[in-house]
Amino acid sequence: MLLHGFGGCARNWHPFTAKLSERHRLIIVDLRGHGRSTNPENKFTHREAAGDVFLLLEKLGVDHFSAMGMSSGGMALLHMATSQPKRIDSMVLISATSHFPDQARTIMRRASFGTMPQQVQAMYRECAHRGDEQIRQLIAQFNALSEDYDDMNFTAQSLSTIAARTLVVHGDRDRFFPVEIPVSIYRSIPDAALWIIPGGDHVPIYDPKVPFTSTALQFLDGPHSR
């Protein structure tokens, strides 16, 4: 199960799918309101996104699975792994967080399409199949997350209930979530490993110098995998 980040869509995983599909059957999702997925409520929380994914898995008849999520996808995975811990065998959390620190809230509160980096603008345009109105809705939902203190509010105790083997991947220059957060997540999850990428910003896995696919597969297919 592959979950993209906020403003993205399933195609964000395309650089990695050829190698991943050699050893795994892939389920790649557009989260609610993203890509081709609808969102009639016009609001986004990671908790509700996690519920959507579980509903899809039920429709597909998938009980146990492994998963990877980048940014918002990883945050949805934290909700999945804490609410139904026995279902996820292993997971990779990329640039995820247990809570929104002040620096992230400031970025989310001030975000607008015009102030986003060009590559982020391009991703939004590439993924928003319903055009500018979908982009406006997503950015408004992103802004609203800056005032949400319930959705992402994981404590060390709640993270300790996660049963999945977990690889925490993070850049040490992440502008949203400082490196102390992934270290805390790693220490709180019982069966976890930590990969801090030197010089990496938010979601640093696209850097060709970062051996993401091989490292992720080595972890997912490790000696304790099912």
Side-chain angles (χ1 to χ4, degrees), residues 71-91:
S71 194
S72 274
M75 297 175 223
L77 276 180
L78 283 177
H79 279 286
M80 296 176 73
T82 51
S83 63
Q84 299 187 39
K86 294 182 180 179
R87 295 188 65 181
I88 305 181
D89 298 329
S90 56
M91 65 179 181

Side-chain angles (χ1 to χ4, degrees), residues 31-46:
L31 297 175
R32 60 165 50 202
H34 291 71
R36 291 184 170 85
S37 291
T38 59
N39 185 358
E41 296 180 1
N42 195 24
K43 71 172 187 174
F44 183 94
T45 68
H46 298 88

Side-chain angles (χ1 to χ4, degrees), residues 131-141:
D132 288 348
E133 179 58 26
Q134 185 178 7
I135 292 175
R136 283 192 290 271
Q137 290 174 344
L138 286 170
I139 292 175
Q141 292 162 20

Side-chain angles (χ1 to χ4, degrees), residues 15-179:
F16 314 106
T17 53
K19 285 293 185 183
L20 294 174
S21 63
E22 291 176 1
R23 287 150 67 173
H24 294 269
R25 179 166 66 102
L26 304 182
I27 302 170
I28 313 176
V29 177
D30 283 343
L31 297 175
R32 60 165 50 202
H34 291 71
R36 291 184 170 85
S37 291
T38 59
N39 185 358
E41 296 180 1
N42 195 24
K43 71 172 187 174
F44 183 94
T45 68
H46 298 88
R47 181 181 287 106
E48 290 175 329
D52 295 338
V53 176
F54 273 133
L55 286 173
L56 172 63
L57 291 170
E58 289 173 15
K59 290 286 187 182
L60 296 175
V62 175
D63 185 18
H64 286 270
F65 58 96
S66 293
M68 295 200 289
M70 57 177 84
S71 194
S72 274
M75 297 175 223
L77 276 180
L78 283 177
H79 279 286
M80 296 176 73
T82 51
S83 63
Q84 299 187 39
K86 294 182 180 179
R87 295 188 65 181
I88 305 181
D89 298 329
S90 56
M91 65 179 181
V92 179
L93 304 174
I94 305 147
S95 301
T97 189
S98 54
H99 64 283
F100 293 135
D102 288 342
Q103 66 192 65
R105 292 185 187 279
T106 298
I107 295 171
M108 292 187 291
R109 186 180 304 114
R110 297 176 178 174
S112 67
F113 187 75
T115 60
M116 289 178 175
Q118 287 188 346
Q119 67 270 25
V120 179
Q121 290 182 2
M123 179 190 71
Y124 268 76
R125 290 206 179 280
E126 186 178 52
C127 286
H129 289 273
R130 295 185 295 281
D132 288 348
E133 179 58 26
Q134 185 178 7
I135 292 175
R136 283 192 290 271
Q137 290 174 344
L138 286 170
I139 292 175
Q141 292 162 20
F142 190 65
N143 297 149
L145 284 172
S146 69
E147 304 302 326
D148 190 328
Y149 288 84
D150 175 64
D151 181 40
M152 295 305 300
N153 188 27
F154 291 99
T155 63
Q157 182 176 0
S158 61
L159 293 173
S160 72
T161 66
I162 293 175
R165 294 175 55 250
T166 302
L167 174 62
V168 178
V169 182
H170 213 86
D172 68 355
R173 295 293 182 267
D174 192 306
R175 64 189 185 280
F176 286 91
F177 313 128
V179 73

